[in-house]
Amino acid sequence: MATNLQLVKEVSVQEASGGSFTPFSITDCFNANYDTYYVTINNIDGNLAGYYIWLRFIDSSGSLITGSEYAWSCHLMRSNSGFSSQRSANTTLINMVGFSGSGSATDDRYDTGTSFFVYKPFDATYMTMVTAEFGGSYNTPEHWGGQTIGVHKQQEQVTGMAFGGHSAFYFAKIQVFGVKK
């Protein structure tokens, strides 16, 4: 089957000793071959139930970008309370790019994953932008979903990403695809 998605990098992160890690990252996943990337994160297991996943970028020197250089906005859809919006204009991360519902290293029934596009990360003449969609379940009858847009407001080359949200993660699978022009 022909596709416009080309797998650039895949990483499964897991604490083999039964402990935990946070944040988790994927490096060297953006390059000059693509302007747009499609990212999936599946089987996110962490220690807190019903938690949003945040994103920070990694610059070309391998350093995590932690300054107040991000802005984001999310439209939430919750089955138990309807619609709401959250946003931040000058913050140290792009929040709500994903959702992890389990609060357990062994309970995957609430972890439905997240997917998002990253635009122009490797081109230092553009700000890097993100559009994300996610869904999950917090408690058995509660289903949550959201759409998020975000921007890294500095023009610099970005080569990777770091994710957090839980105070401890147990497992996550990340795939980064380049979108052919």
Side-chain angles (χ1 to χ4, degrees), residues 49-139:
Y51 217 81
Y52 296 107
I53 307 302
W54 55 255
L55 159 72
R56 287 185 175 132
F57 289 114
I58 298 170
D59 66 21
S60 59
S61 68
S63 298
L64 193 61
I65 302 171
T66 59
S68 296
E69 303 176 5
Y70 300 94
W72 61 272
S73 179
C74 180
H75 185 71
L76 290 170
M77 300 159 277
R78 296 180 182 158
S79 66
N80 65 323
S81 63
F83 298 99
S84 65
S85 294
Q86 295 185 21
R87 67 187 64 79
S88 183
N90 294 300
T91 186
T92 61
L93 51 84
I94 298 173
N95 203 3
M96 303 173 107
V97 296
F99 181 78
S100 177
S102 74
S104 167
T106 58
D107 188 357
D108 290 327
R109 64 188 159 149
Y110 301 124
D111 301 323
T112 57
T114 186
S115 61
F116 57 94
F117 286 94
V118 180
Y119 305 96
K120 303 278 190 179
F122 202 73
D123 191 333
T125 63
Y126 288 89
M127 293 182 226
T128 302
M129 311 237 357
V130 174
T131 57
E133 294 182 346
F134 61 88
S137 297
Y138 177 51
N139 289 319

